Amino acid sequence: MGLYKEERVALFIDGANLYSAARTLGFDIDYKKLLDQFRDKCQLVRAFYYTALFEEQEYSPIRPLVDWLDYNGYTLVTKPAKEYTDAQGRRKVKGNMDIELAIDVLEMAEHLDHVILFSGDGDFRRLAEAVQRRGLRVSVVSTIKTSPPMIADELRRQCDNFIELSELSKLVARNFHDGARPAPRPRKENFKSADFRDEDDEDLEDDDYEDYEEFDEDDEAVVERV
């Protein structure tokens, strides 16, 4: 993964983007394994996880995952999802966390040697360039194994190191086996709710989004209610 044991590293995880990429490749993330992999290979300072939440709902399907992450070594950054009506009159909810992620990267930069971004969003190219000017290395975790690739070409060119998610899956997937094959990328994905597991559970399933998610022309995460 291009890591050095003495490096100070932070993970910045775009939750919806990572979930979509992993499910398109046909596997679920085990977040305990993910954290352990980086703790073993570097000086992990912080692991941030970004997601929008439906605060008006009595029960949010992503809440069990968020609670588990919050109790098990991750720093959660959340905000309320916003509802709007599109040009076709459909009610949709979106929650873009790009600004929150970018601010945290810039604020943490002086305490780090290496930023690892879990997102393929091309809007982060300028952010990667900004922290590189401060002497930090930038790695991006996404995939080019889907059609089309889920990482923007400009972001891949800018980063110091590209980590292919399908290769990382061998280390961080739940119940990984070599026979797994990437699933075709759908226009919409059904994000199912997960059962809550306590900190003693060996694995945590990433089936955390019950609503549908799609990406608009600006690569902004949009969640459509059904």
Side-chain angles (χ1 to χ4, degrees):
M1 288 190 289
L3 299 174
Y4 302 112
K5 192 68 177 178
E6 68 277 7
E7 276 190 319
R8 298 171 300 169
V9 174
L11 313 182
F12 297 87
I13 302 171
D14 180 340
N17 193 288
L18 177 60
Y19 175 85
S20 179
R23 293 310 294 270
T24 301
L25 289 169
F27 74 94
D28 293 320
I29 299 285
D30 183 322
Y31 285 95
K32 183 178 185 300
K33 288 182 181 179
L34 179 65
L35 204 61
D36 289 344
Q37 281 297 319
F38 286 94
R39 282 173 171 168
D40 290 343
K41 292 178 171 60
C42 62
Q43 302 297 318
L44 186 61
V45 176
R46 195 81 65 210
F48 292 90
Y49 186 96
Y50 300 84
T51 189
L53 296 175
F54 299 100
E55 290 192 341
E56 75 280 6
Q57 291 182 346
E58 184 175 341
Y59 171 77
S60 173
I62 196 177
R63 177 57 67 180
L65 173 65
V66 168
D67 288 341
W68 189 94
L69 294 173
D70 211 11
Y71 279 109
N72 289 275
Y74 289 85
T75 299
L76 268 294
V77 182
T78 66
K79 72 176 182 182
K82 294 184 179 180
E83 187 172 314
Y84 73 101
T85 303
D86 68 8
Q88 288 73 43
R90 295 176 298 181
R91 295 176 62 194
K92 292 187 177 181
V93 179
K94 68 178 181 178
N96 189 302
M97 302 292 293
D98 289 4
I99 296 298
E100 289 80 0
L101 190 154
I103 289 173
D104 286 343
V105 170
L106 293 173
E107 287 185 343
M108 288 291 295
E110 64 181 291
H111 307 291
L112 303 173
D113 302 305
H114 194 165
V115 167
I116 300 182
L117 174 64
F118 288 74
S119 178
D121 192 339
D123 290 343
F124 291 128
R125 187 210 66 80
R126 187 67 180 84
L127 173 64
E129 181 184 14
V131 295
Q132 285 170 334
R133 288 177 177 173
R134 300 187 182 191
L136 280 69
R137 293 201 301 140
V138 177
S139 291
V140 173
V141 180
S142 188
T143 183
I144 59 172
K145 300 297 185 181
T146 57
S147 182
M150 296 192 73
I151 181 171
D153 185 64
E154 61 270 25
L155 178 60
R156 188 181 174 201
R157 289 173 181 269
Q158 184 67 50
C159 68
D160 299 289
N161 183 36
F162 170 64
I163 301 173
E164 171 56 53
L165 183 59
S166 64
E167 294 298 318
L168 187 62
S169 69
K170 300 172 184 177
L171 303 174
V172 303
R174 284 173 45 82
N175 305 320
F176 175 80
H177 58 87
D178 290 328
R181 291 289 184 272
R185 186 178 182 184
R187 178 60 182 162
K188 294 181 180 180
E189 293 181 357
N190 189 10
F191 290 170
K192 300 176 183 178
S193 60
D195 294 329
F196 178 72
R197 301 165 186 260
D198 63 32
E199 59 182 343
D200 295 326
D201 283 350
E202 204 171 300
D203 299 317
L204 178 67
E205 188 167 354
D206 193 24
D207 291 341
D208 46 4
Y209 294 90
E210 186 175 53
D211 299 291
Y212 286 96
E213 178 181 287
E214 60 184 22
F215 289 88
D216 64 16
E217 295 177 355
D218 297 323
D219 287 330
E220 188 171 87
V222 178
V223 180
E224 180 179 353
R225 295 191 181 191
V226 293

